[in-house]
Amino acid sequence: MSLLLPPAFWLGAWQLCAFLVDRHVQGRGNELLLPYPATVLAALVRLGGTAPFWGTVLASLGRIVAGMALGTVLGALLAALTYLSPWAHRILAPAIRVIRATPVASFILLVLLWTGRDRVPVIIAALMVLPVVWENLSRGLRETDPQLLEMGRLYRFTRWQMVRLIYLPSLWPYFLSAVTTAMGLAWKSGVAAEVLCLPGRAIGAQVYHAKLYLEIPDLFAWTAVVVILSLLLEGLLRALLRAGKGGSAP
Amino acid sequence: MTDIHLDHISFEYGRREILSDFTLTLPGVGVTILRGPSGCGKTTLLRLLAGLEQPRSGRITGVCPRETAFLFQENRLLPWRTAEQHLTDVLPRDRREEAERWLALTELTGEERSYPAALSGGMCRRLALARCLALGGRLYLLDEPFAGVDPQRASRIMTGLRALPAPVLLTSHEDHILSLAHRVIDLDGPPLRVL
């Protein structure tokens, strides 16, 4: 019950706003401004009944997951490198902070100039994920308990044992926080890149066309697809990470 | 093992002088208890012997830091490892079955699969001690091994420590175990001095 209450509240608020807009324009083009939830649901059901819809969803999902994986691996490698080498930290940390502060639209247009349009969403999603993973893991590495590290050294732990028994379990909460935050960013930036680059089959391209032809219920429906996929993927990722942690903690 | 000599050792934490021209010979056999008030420098003395701190001046002979087994004042257990895993983590692959022996000596049999969070304070202390004993070495340096351990159990474990093949040097405030040591050294400080 408590789980259903927040979505029910916001659906009610949406319905009320759509009703007020409808009254204001007196039935003349309400769906162009703010369609009713039922209209969006109908659009979603209509779209879901077609084969191209699922192909589009899978293509975008593939790009976002690839970008997420690429950004996570690069972020983790750079975190390890900047932790081990103060020189690497001095050189790379400002560059990663610049990536984080640069407007995503600038990156999308630049990457579009440098590579093919199909690759842009993957690279953009990776670029947005990388600083989040790097920042979180770097903090996790810095905050690894020095007493445990001293114990590991004195108790003759091998390098692999230090990583497996101390670093990795200590980093787990930081990694979990990083990937769940990064997942939302990957979707936002990846779809934005699709809107601007219009690759073959893409949710972003559908959003763009819906806007172009003023199919506002479709625009809402595709946005809902992105939100649902993002939440599902985040839930799946959390479950996988919990399973990966196995029985190694109480 | 030969006796351990600390010759004219000086050591400071910042501006605080902990050892000043300190000299002591510790026996290379049996169980020796270092007794003294909190903060007098006992822990620093053990850390110097384990090579965790370097003296500003003076010389330590008769001990190789790489061959010591050191029990920290804090438990330093890994919350994500079971009691048994704590021991197998420090034991060589061909001696893993010894874990059972050390858990028995510290009276933790039956807790093999327990995580530290499920153990009491005294049990965690005994687990830290068991791990240190399993690590092994030519000298055991135990900092407050019986903190939070009930007196009867501490006495039984102390009897087990007397049977170890290597010398044991431990700090303690518990009077009931003094009679079980081969030697008791009373200390005061800082700076550390033998009474």
Side-chain angles (χ1 to χ4, degrees):
Chain A
M1 184 65 191
S2 59
L3 265 177
L4 291 175
L5 202 61
F9 171 81
W10 289 112
L11 273 175
W14 178 3
Q15 175 76 21
L16 179 67
C17 290
F19 172 73
L20 291 174
V21 170
D22 198 11
R23 261 190 63 176
H24 183 69
V25 299
Q26 295 172 337
R28 292 166 298 169
N30 166 60
E31 290 190 354
L32 286 179
L33 293 170
L34 184 64
Y36 284 105
T39 315
V40 173
L41 183 66
L44 195 57
V45 170
R46 176 174 45 79
L47 289 169
T50 62
F53 170 85
W54 296 103
T56 303
V57 167
L58 281 177
S60 282
L61 186 66
R63 288 190 197 100
I64 301 304
V65 169
M68 178 81 194
L70 185 64
T72 304
V73 169
L74 285 176
L77 287 175
L78 287 177
L81 183 66
T82 52
Y83 174 69
L84 291 171
S85 160
W87 272 104
H89 187 270
R90 251 174 250 170
I91 289 169
L92 291 170
I96 296 170
R97 292 197 179 104
V98 166
I99 292 175
R100 196 174 45 193
T102 304
V104 67
S106 307
F107 269 129
I108 293 169
L109 297 174
L110 281 172
V111 176
L112 181 60
L113 287 175
W114 296 334
T115 66
R117 60 177 57 208
D118 280 334
R119 288 185 194 149
V120 178
V122 177
I123 296 170
I124 292 301
L127 276 174
M128 295 302 111
V129 167
L130 187 151
V132 177
V133 173
W134 173 79
E135 182 89 51
N136 273 270
L137 292 188
S138 293
R139 187 150 46 89
L141 284 166
R142 280 197 307 273
E143 291 175 5
T144 301
D145 189 346
Q147 290 198 336
L148 291 185
L149 294 175
E150 187 184 49
M151 180 276 294
R153 281 191 295 271
L154 198 68
Y155 284 16
R156 298 156 215 153
F157 279 13
T158 60
R159 260 183 211 183
W160 171 235
Q161 275 185 307
M162 292 291 277
V163 171
R164 188 172 63 89
L165 301 178
I166 299 178
Y167 280 112
L168 289 182
S170 303
L171 284 176
W172 201 256
Y174 295 91
F175 183 68
L176 195 65
S177 161
V179 292
T180 46
T181 308
M183 181 57 77
L185 274 176
W187 273 106
K188 277 185 201 175
S189 57
V191 171
E194 288 180 345
V195 169
L196 287 175
C197 302
L198 303 176
R201 278 191 299 187
I203 292 177
Q206 297 302 321
V207 167
Y208 176 79
H209 290 130
K211 177 224 133 195
L212 197 65
Y213 300 117
L214 294 177
E215 297 280 3
I216 306 305
D218 283 16
L219 176 64
F220 271 75
W222 283 111
T223 307
V225 169
V226 172
V227 172
I228 292 165
L229 281 175
S230 177
L231 291 177
L232 280 178
L233 218 56
E234 190 184 312
L236 184 71
L237 202 62
R238 278 179 185 273
L240 279 175
L241 290 173
R242 263 198 302 273
K245 202 177 174 187
S248 63
Chain B
M1 187 177 158
T2 56
D3 286 352
I4 301 156
H5 300 283
L6 294 109
D7 294 322
H8 304 286
I9 303 291
S10 293
F11 179 82
E12 296 94 23
Y13 277 122
R15 287 185 168 183
R16 192 155 179 251
E17 199 171 46
I18 309 295
L19 280 84
S20 175
D21 202 30
F22 180 79
T23 295
L24 177 68
T25 296
L26 295 160
V29 288
V31 178
T32 304
I33 293 182
L34 301 173
R35 188 172 63 160
S38 295
C40 74
K42 304 186 296 294
T43 297
T44 305
L45 180 62
L46 291 191
R47 288 180 66 88
L48 282 162
L49 289 168
L52 289 169
E53 310 287 357
Q54 295 304 314
R56 180 172 55 78
S57 62
R59 211 159 68 102
I60 299 172
T61 53
V63 57
C64 174
R66 290 176 62 86
E67 292 173 347
T68 61
F70 187 85
L71 174 68
F72 293 93
Q73 201 168 40
E74 313 82 19
N75 292 328
R76 304 198 188 188
L77 299 174
L78 303 170
W80 41 84
R81 304 295 281 170
T82 63
E84 189 174 33
Q85 285 171 335
H86 274 87
L87 274 68
T88 52
D89 286 343
V90 298
L91 282 165
R93 204 173 284 275
D94 57 336
R95 284 176 43 212
R96 296 234 163 120
E97 67 283 0
E98 278 183 29
E100 206 177 307
R101 173 190 165 198
W102 300 114
L103 286 172
L105 193 147
T106 51
E107 306 192 4
L108 283 169
T109 303
E111 299 294 345
E112 288 84 356
R113 291 174 188 276
S114 301
Y115 288 95
L119 301 175
S120 69
M123 289 164 106
C124 284
R125 193 65 192 141
R126 284 184 277 138
L127 176 57
L129 174 60
R131 178 178 59 179
C132 174
L133 297 176
L135 176 70
R138 297 187 65 194
L139 171 66
Y140 289 96
L141 300 166
L142 313 178
D143 198 355
E144 304 283 357
F146 303 118
V149 179
D150 62 86
Q152 290 81 11
R153 188 170 269 138
S155 298
R156 289 196 295 271
I157 296 172
M158 188 68 181
T159 308
L161 296 184
R162 285 170 63 97
L164 290 174
V168 179
L169 195 58
L170 65 92
T171 65
S172 182
H173 288 112
E174 287 83 8
D175 288 338
H176 54 272
I177 59 162
L178 294 180
S179 61
L180 295 167
H182 293 103
R183 189 179 173 195
V184 178
I185 298 174
D186 283 305
L187 300 165
D188 200 6
L192 194 67
R193 62 192 169 87
V194 179
L195 292 177

